[in-house]
Amino acid sequence: MSAADRQRTCAACGGPFAPRERTGLETVIDGEVLYVAVHTHHSTYPPRREAEATRRLTTTTA
């Protein structure tokens, strides 16, 4: 059984997975190594500082 089948929802946004949807798999270390499924282009990892700064500048000046 895949992580997406077990979870049924994205670990990043909480949205449900569609049947046969392609998902990403991320490693989470919380006392043990766990694998969680996420939608494509979603992530449970924090954004890189440079990307976050660029996004903030773009939305502030727009």
Side-chain angles (χ1 to χ4, degrees):
M1 180 179 275
S2 72
D5 289 338
R6 285 193 307 274
Q7 284 177 223
R8 291 186 247 161
T9 59
C10 176
C13 74
F17 292 119
R20 298 185 182 187
E21 178 181 3
R22 292 186 67 92
T23 61
L25 193 63
E26 292 188 351
T27 305
V28 177
I29 300 174
D30 185 25
E32 60 182 275
V33 177
L34 306 170
Y35 294 95
V36 295
V38 294
H39 287 117
T40 304
H41 304 295
H42 285 192
S43 180
T44 59
Y45 303 125
R48 291 183 27 200
R49 283 187 188 179
E50 297 84 4
E52 181 63 18
T54 301
R55 185 191 65 76
R56 287 184 183 181
L57 286 172
T58 303
T59 57
T60 303
T61 58

